[in-house]
Amino acid sequence: MNPSKYDVIIVGAGVAGPAMAYALSSSSNLRKAIPESSQRKKPLQILLVDSKLRKPERIVGELLQPGGVLALRRLGLERALDNIDAVRAKGYCVMRPKVPSSLGKSQNEGTFEKGSSGTQFEQVHIPYPDGNEGRSFHHGEFVSSLRACAASAPGVTLLEASVQSDLVYCPHTGRILGVRATRSSGKRVEIFLAKLTIFANGNSSFRKAVYLPATTRPPAAGAESISSPAKTLTDKNLDTKALGSFYGLVLPHPPNKSYILPMYQHGTVVLVPDAAGPILLYQVSSHDTRILIDIPKNSPHARAVPAYIKSIILPNLPTPELRESLQSLVDEAEEKEGKLKMQSAINPFFPAPPQGGCRTREGGLLLGDAWNQRHPLTGGGMTVAFWDIVTLASELISTEKELFGEGGTEPATSTNESKDTMPLDGHVLKHEEEWTIGRWDLMDDIFNRWWWRRKGYASTINILSVALYDLFGGS
């Protein structure tokens, strides 16, 4: 059977994948700011593929900062926040232990709350500036809404299939030509070709397929031979670093309570004495509040998380409603002689290495958490991803005629021409079957502009995520 051909394949339909598919479609708001003369008359044919299209259940990707809401508005995707019972977020409230030696309240101190253990907390209010608002929600509801928006856009095909790790490469140039995948409804491996393959699957599984090993890199400018390759990343440096884990539960509200947090419509960070790390709380629906309990890597509490929650976290929550809700979950687990129904997620860190410029294989790129990860304490990951999509998609649309043509096959040219420098471990197709972007030199320019334009937002959020975690963690 002949391979299925698309202009773009996007691997991963979590947060970044559907948003990117919509951003490149003819429905995208970004096209309003780009001259029609630069755009194709026919919509790009985009395949959005994920191994599981059922509603995901995760404990991260639930708090979108105001900057992320603005990015969705730029894309024309703000409606993805409608009808999912999303809660407005107007800022943060930090509950820190009151210093015992302090007498009275100073002018800058907030109100005080007391846990059942006797810990007295000072409330520090950090509102978002200029009345901006974020949103918090159940992750699965938001992802399902993003997928629905993408699937409704002209030219976008949503497919449930498992993409294999051995990609489709050109045997002559090493260019990524597409993917091999098995539909959830079948067992046969199919080949899907694309002029551009975007990996937005949220983890590191395709990084080593996209980045070139040092021994295969073309020489740096001015180098006399291939024996002096340009510097690149080792396989080890392409792995996500685990900073610890979040353990999450959903705290149900009492029937007569619209919120149980210290401040209405504010995310809350609780700094508990003798705790392993900070506690993060935010409301995810009209009747549910998420609690995330941080346990750093190598903490002894990681071996007995339920006991840690019961003895350290529960008595130190700052409001009676929070304590009662968590206590009800503990009691329910004990009555059924079971464990607390909690999920865990690794707190990742992976600084984004540059793409393009002979660092990565032609034909592919990384997006979202597949490329850049930071500690989730500040909830900045989706904001970075959405602004990356605004920046990258705008660049691709403005040159889509040169990159993708008007819908026919374009001649392929490659800057990575040496067969000896492109070892391939995956499946290969004959060179004459290539279906590729004709001007990859334009993509290198796009990579460069994207890299520098993203520094303003990405660097700020990435640095803050680590700095604030170190501050709140007391390290």
Side-chain angles (χ1 to χ4, degrees), residues 244-469:
S245 296
F246 264 147
Y247 291 83
L249 300 102
V250 172
L251 304 180
H253 297 186
N256 60 337
K257 285 285 185 178
S258 60
Y259 73 99
I260 58 176
L261 294 172
M263 292 188 71
Y264 181 52
Q265 294 183 338
H266 282 68
T268 303
V269 179
V270 183
L271 309 179
V272 173
D274 302 319
I279 303 166
L280 179 61
L281 300 112
Y282 48 87
Q283 193 167 336
V284 290
S285 73
S286 302
H287 308 291
D288 295 328
T289 290
R290 171 71 71 189
I291 180 171
L292 295 176
I293 299 159
D294 174 72
I295 298 185
K297 188 178 181 180
N298 301 323
S299 169
H301 294 297
R303 295 191 292 269
V305 177
Y308 168 70
I309 291 174
K310 186 176 179 179
S311 62
I312 302 295
I313 303 303
L314 175 56
N316 282 291
L317 291 178
T319 70
E321 293 84 1
L322 286 171
R323 293 192 295 273
E324 290 167 8
S325 183
L326 182 54
Q327 184 67 62
S328 70
L329 298 181
V330 172
D331 292 344
E332 181 182 355
E334 291 178 347
E335 287 175 8
K336 297 180 180 179
E337 297 183 353
K339 296 181 180 180
L340 276 171
K341 293 181 180 179
M342 58 184 175
Q343 294 175 274
S344 64
I346 291 174
N347 293 331
F349 180 74
F350 183 73
Q355 299 189 69
C358 296
R359 300 175 186 89
T360 51
R361 294 189 188 276
E362 295 180 1
L365 64 86
L366 299 169
L367 182 69
D369 281 358
W371 184 38
N372 188 197
Q373 294 173 292
R374 78 288 305 146
H375 198 286
L377 178 69
T378 53
M382 290 189 293
T383 297
V384 172
F386 288 145
W387 279 108
D388 273 346
I389 290 165
V390 169
T391 305
L392 176 60
S394 297
E395 291 280 357
L396 293 174
I397 292 170
S398 65
T399 54
E400 67 179 355
K401 278 187 177 181
E402 292 87 349
L403 294 175
F404 302 103
E406 282 286 6
T409 305
E410 298 296 316
T413 59
S414 174
T415 55
N416 296 341
E417 295 179 352
S418 174
K419 185 176 180 179
D420 294 335
T421 64
M422 297 293 157
L424 299 171
D425 299 322
H427 185 79
V428 296
L429 289 180
K430 294 179 181 179
H431 187 260
E432 54 266 26
E433 292 185 63
E434 269 198 43
W435 170 260
T436 62
I437 283 177
R439 293 281 310 278
W440 193 259
D441 58 310
L442 293 179
M443 282 300 302
D444 281 337
D445 292 339
I446 289 172
F447 280 129
N448 187 58
R449 289 193 295 271
W450 179 27
W451 172 257
W452 289 107
R453 288 174 182 171
R454 76 185 301 268
K455 279 190 172 293
Y457 56 86
S459 296
T460 301
I461 292 173
N462 291 343
I463 291 170
L464 273 176
S465 72
V466 177
L468 288 177
Y469 176 71

Side-chain angles (χ1 to χ4, degrees), residues 13-65:
V15 171
M20 187 63 179
Y22 187 88
L24 291 175
S25 75
S26 57
S27 297
S28 173
N29 256 13
L30 299 177
R31 293 185 176 272
K32 296 178 180 179
I34 297 171
E36 290 186 7
S37 58
S38 300
Q39 302 180 41
R40 288 174 28 142
K41 294 180 181 179
K42 297 180 180 179
L44 290 172
Q45 296 303 304
I46 302 166
L47 177 65
L48 178 60
V49 57
D50 198 286
S51 60
K52 296 177 182 177
L53 291 181
R54 66 172 182 266
K55 186 182 297 183
E57 295 182 4
R58 296 186 63 200
I59 62 171
V60 292
E62 295 181 316
L63 178 59
L64 183 62
Q65 300 291 356

